[in-house]
Amino acid sequence: MIFKQLFDKKSSTYTYIISSGKGREALIIDPVIEHTEKYLNLLKELDLKLVKVIDTHIHADHISGLNELAKQTSCSKIMGERSTSEVLDIKVKDNEKIKIENIELKSIYTPGHTDCSYSFFMNDRVFTGDTLLINGTGRTDFQNGSSYDAYDSLFKKLLKLPEKTLVYPAHDYNGKTHSTIENEKNNNPRLQVKSAEEYADVMSNLKLSNPKMMDIAVPANKKGITLQDLENR
Ligand code: FE
């Protein structure tokens, strides 16, 4: 299997390129528009054909590369069915399969950080978006976020996955690349709560400022802008 984890320093975003092997189909999860060229070069180098691009949710801290990648490769743009993006080709339901050659992902609806947040499970690993981070969890104070929904997504869905499952989040701010469900269950400070009420209490006391890019990124990601649109601004 080909599995590449790429990092955007500006937004601390992780992007994933997945394929069953050289010369085969590929998919990308959570691309950042500024790195489009880098992704395309890497795909070319590995002789991969990009057929699907997925965003885990509408991002507030960077502009997604989903639309630009689709423009340049004709790959399908995919998000969960609760997404308000106007440019999607496929909206997946909870528990629906996304397939490319020899690779299968299963969507898991994990609202809380936003109401359009989905995680994607693949064999031994799960892409958790901003629902579950390494030693943290996604904030729940905008984009129809809900700490109660987040609690259910975490405790009733993600933490119920096999303990050895590798966790690949959409961000990390401390240089960590991945974790496991077991490790997060035991050590993630946000997950050491006894009830949804306690979790909501922790989350409401975070007092975070809004992401710098929020007012630009959220509308751009709903509309699905391209590099050309960015240049013309
Ligand atoms: Fe987010």
Side-chain angles (χ1 to χ4, degrees):
M1 186 178 73
I2 292 171
F3 182 74
K4 300 277 179 199
Q5 182 178 34
L6 299 122
F7 189 62
D8 173 57
K9 275 197 197 133
K10 214 167 101 192
S11 63
S12 298
T13 300
Y14 279 127
T15 299
Y16 302 94
I17 301 183
I18 305 164
S19 170
S20 58
K22 267 199 163 190
R24 298 225 176 105
E25 292 180 348
L27 68 81
I28 296 189
I29 301 177
D30 286 335
V32 176
I33 195 166
E34 286 89 348
H35 301 306
T36 302
E37 211 51 45
K38 186 166 87 182
Y39 306 143
L40 292 173
N41 287 337
L42 192 54
L43 290 164
K44 204 168 159 199
E45 223 173 87
L46 297 165
D47 190 22
L48 300 178
K49 180 178 164 38
L50 184 66
V51 292
K52 288 179 179 169
V53 57
I54 304 173
D55 270 341
T56 50
H57 60 293
I58 299 266
H59 296 282
D61 54 4
H62 67 272
I63 297 178
S64 166
L66 173 133
N67 207 46
E68 180 64 27
L69 280 169
K71 187 183 146 196
Q72 294 204 35
T73 68
S74 325
C75 65
S76 306
K77 294 161 280 186
I78 305 176
M79 287 185 76
E81 66 175 343
R82 301 292 295 268
S83 172
T84 52
S85 165
E86 294 164 22
V87 295
L88 300 174
D89 301 303
I90 301 169
K91 288 188 175 190
V92 290
K93 293 188 168 55
D94 184 31
N95 231 337
E96 192 171 326
K97 288 186 174 129
I98 298 170
K99 291 180 186 174
I100 61 166
E101 220 174 336
N102 299 331
I103 299 270
E104 197 174 280
L105 264 61
K106 192 185 79 180
S107 69
I108 310 172
Y109 182 42
T110 49
H113 169 59
T114 69
D115 63 351
C116 68
S117 292
Y118 287 70
S119 299
F120 296 92
F121 181 74
M122 183 181 100
N123 301 325
D124 62 343
R125 61 198 67 196
V126 61
F127 303 95
T128 53
D130 291 357
T131 304
L132 174 59
L133 304 172
I134 301 169
N135 266 318
T137 54
R139 61 193 298 174
T140 55
D141 56 337
F142 53 67
Q143 289 180 279
N144 299 323
S146 154
S147 301
Y148 289 89
D149 288 350
Y151 179 88
D152 284 349
S153 295
L154 289 161
F155 285 87
K156 296 180 184 165
K157 292 185 173 176
L158 295 177
L159 295 189
K160 292 267 184 340
L161 293 172
E163 291 209 315
K164 300 295 173 209
T165 304
L166 301 168
V167 172
Y168 284 98
H171 298 285
D172 191 79
Y173 306 94
N174 305 301
K176 295 225 166 67
T177 57
H178 64 282
S179 179
T180 62
I181 290 294
E182 183 178 29
N183 193 32
E184 293 314 305
K185 205 183 269 180
N186 295 334
N187 302 313
N188 188 324
R190 295 260 179 92
L191 303 180
Q192 311 310 311
V193 293
K194 298 266 178 311
S195 66
E197 287 70 27
E198 196 185 335
Y199 186 71
D201 210 42
V202 169
M203 296 309 282
S204 67
N205 285 316
L206 293 178
K207 308 217 170 15
L208 302 164
S209 52
N210 280 347
K212 279 186 231 105
M213 284 282 289
M214 186 167 167
D215 294 338
I216 298 167
V218 171
N221 289 334
K222 282 186 185 168
K223 270 208 133 13
I225 69 170
T226 61
L227 279 170
Q228 182 84 58
D229 299 330
L230 266 191
E231 269 169 35
N232 293 342
R233 278 180 174 219

